Amino acid sequence: MRKLSLLILGVAIGAGSATMVSQTALLSSGAVAASADTYRQLSLFGDVFEKVRTDYVEKPEESKLVESAINGMLTSLDPHSSYMDPKSFRDMQVQTRGEFGGLGIEVTMEEGLVKVVTPIDETPASRAGIMANDVITHIDNEPVQGLNLNQAVDKMRGPVNSSVTLKIQRKEAKDPIEVKLTRETIKVRPVRARVEGDIGVLRVTQFNEQTYDNLRTSIEKLTSDIGADKVAGFVIDLRNNPGGLLDQAIMVSDAFLDRGEIVSTRSRNAEDTQRFTAKAGDLAKGKPIVVLVNGGSASASEIVAGALQDHKRATVLGTRSFGKGSVQTIIPLGGNGAVRLTTARYYTPSGRSIQAKGIEPDIEVLQDIPEELKGKDETKGEAGLRGHLSNGGEKEERGGSSAYVPPDPTKDKQLLAAYDLLHGVRKGAANTTTPTPN
């Protein structure tokens, strides 16, 4: 069986050249014949490349031509396979780790300037008094105007213990505020927890290396704050969670299961099928669980929702999920970036493929969509992506659904329905009957 680090939604580090060597050693005579024809096609590519290099109206950047050709090959396979140049690969690794050298502010771009969404507690930004809605106009005396958001974020990130100076415009202040900050290790919080009466709410925003540890700590704190004997249940909010690491999705699912299969991954070779099973131990101690999903819940989110749904461990509520049921492996290319390659489909414990179908909620609850957002709240879903993988033999495909979540929790019909369910209908949500996997 190949030893590959499998990823969901194209993140994390995978296998290297050892896999390629073992595949080459197994070439049959038919495969050799196919290779000869392939090399003739590669010769054609070389001829075209040479013509472009020598005769194009302007001198092209040759490395960019090669990168574009590689990316064209990969993107022709499916929407999730691609080439990552060295910088993109490094950025992906930072995202996967969930920690980086930085200042501790969540930002967005508004009218060409960087606007602070919120400072993260106990970081250089919060200690320096940076506030939500502050506008960053200069970074190290260089104007932000003209930079895109990623470029501005890159300038604010950097080695731990290095310094950076920000010039900030605040509504109440007449003059700009200049702040010098020393970068520290910032950990992204993939899980945000809060108490709602006797219910613990866990908002999981992504699946990076910190997710399971954050989840476990959050459940322990919520249980302590509410009182173990008073907890009515937990809401696991996976809405608009785009996914992340497969191993974290497995660990989060396992956090609420005592036994049984969590997910299986199946590639083109039957011998490469992998099955992942739960270990004993339920962090929620059998308390009822409601999982919230919508059209923005993809990949790793769907693994968790599908596993808990199939095992009758949770009630899934909301709208149909995105439908990304494929696994990407990241294959590093030395110092030349990496290839993100779709290598398998994943299946829920009952043998369902989510690919281009999504998870159908046990209870569908639609939000009240503001007039100005009607018709703009739905995602295309995997089935709406050009060149998407088929469902693996099943004909039915489903498009996207609404991904709207009201900013005001008191108007969030899905969240309020989850509260009502936990207060009024507990039987079934904690049923841990194990299905028979296919």
Side-chain angles (χ1 to χ4, degrees), residues 95-415:
Q95 180 185 350
T96 300
R97 286 194 300 271
E99 60 181 50
F100 52 86
L103 306 177
I105 43 178
E106 296 179 7
V107 294
T108 188
M109 185 68 79
E110 191 173 284
E111 296 180 356
L113 296 174
V114 175
K115 186 176 182 179
V116 176
V117 176
T118 182
I120 300 171
D121 292 342
E122 300 178 2
T123 63
S126 65
R127 288 194 293 269
I130 292 176
M131 301 169 61
N133 297 318
D134 281 351
V135 174
I136 300 171
T137 60
H138 291 74
I139 303 172
D140 281 335
N141 296 318
E142 292 186 20
V144 170
Q145 193 86 38
L147 300 178
N148 60 37
L149 185 59
N150 287 337
Q151 290 169 331
V153 168
D154 284 345
K155 284 184 173 294
M156 286 187 282
R157 289 182 181 176
V160 172
N161 295 325
S162 62
S163 62
V164 60
T165 301
L166 303 182
K167 188 174 286 186
I168 293 168
Q169 187 67 55
R170 187 172 292 164
K171 279 187 178 180
E172 307 85 60
K174 292 181 180 179
D175 300 317
I177 301 167
E178 194 166 283
V179 183
K180 186 174 183 179
L181 304 168
T182 300
R183 297 180 177 97
E184 295 178 3
T185 299
I186 307 299
K187 292 190 176 182
V188 176
R189 285 192 302 159
V191 180
R192 300 176 186 272
R194 70 179 188 276
V195 172
E196 289 290 339
D198 55 0
I199 294 171
V201 180
L202 296 147
R203 170 83 179 103
V204 184
T205 58
Q206 58 180 286
F207 289 85
N208 64 28
E209 290 178 8
Q210 316 293 328
T211 301
Y212 172 75
D213 288 341
N214 275 205
L215 180 83
R216 184 186 66 239
T217 303
S218 297
I219 291 175
E220 290 171 355
K221 187 174 188 309
L222 289 171
T223 302
S224 174
D225 290 347
I226 298 171
D229 58 335
K230 297 179 181 177
V231 176
F234 294 93
V235 175
I236 313 298
D237 189 351
L238 299 176
R239 292 175 297 177
N240 295 330
N241 181 324
L245 296 172
L246 173 60
D247 66 343
Q248 291 291 315
I250 292 167
M251 292 168 73
V252 168
S253 302
D254 194 4
F256 305 106
L257 297 172
D258 279 318
R259 63 188 182 277
E261 185 173 300
I262 294 171
V263 67
S264 63
T265 61
R266 308 177 195 177
S267 64
R268 63 194 285 182
N269 299 314
E271 63 270 21
D272 292 332
T273 295
Q274 293 189 343
R275 297 183 183 277
F276 302 89
T277 55
K279 304 178 186 68
D282 176 0
L283 294 182
K285 307 299 183 187
K287 295 291 185 179
I289 296 170
V290 175
V291 174
L292 298 181
V293 298
N294 66 7
S297 304
S299 210
S301 301
E302 295 172 291
I303 285 179
V304 175
L308 298 185
Q309 185 182 55
D310 278 6
H311 284 280
K312 310 297 183 188
R313 179 63 186 92
T315 300
V316 178
L317 187 150
T319 58
R320 186 177 56 258
S321 64
F322 188 85
K324 183 184 176 295
S326 62
V327 180
Q328 281 67 49
T329 301
I330 303 300
I331 307 172
L333 302 174
N336 297 312
V339 168
R340 177 195 283 116
L341 189 65
T342 300
T343 54
R345 292 180 176 87
Y346 66 76
Y347 294 78
T348 71
S350 63
R352 289 184 294 161
S353 169
I354 297 165
Q355 178 62 20
K357 288 183 67 176
I359 296 287
E360 293 285 352
D362 299 307
I363 302 174
E364 184 180 51
V365 177
L366 302 177
Q367 303 279 18
D368 291 330
I369 310 299
E371 203 62 41
E372 67 273 15
L373 293 179
K374 285 184 177 178
K376 302 176 184 177
D377 62 302
E378 291 200 356
T379 64
K380 287 183 177 180
E382 181 77 9
L385 298 180
R386 185 177 181 181
H388 69 271
L389 289 178
S390 70
N391 189 262
E394 298 184 34
K395 293 181 179 179
E396 184 184 4
E397 292 189 352
R398 303 293 301 275
S401 70
S402 177
Y404 176 70
V405 178
D408 183 353
T410 64
K411 297 180 180 179
D412 188 339
K413 292 178 69 174
Q414 293 166 351
L415 188 60

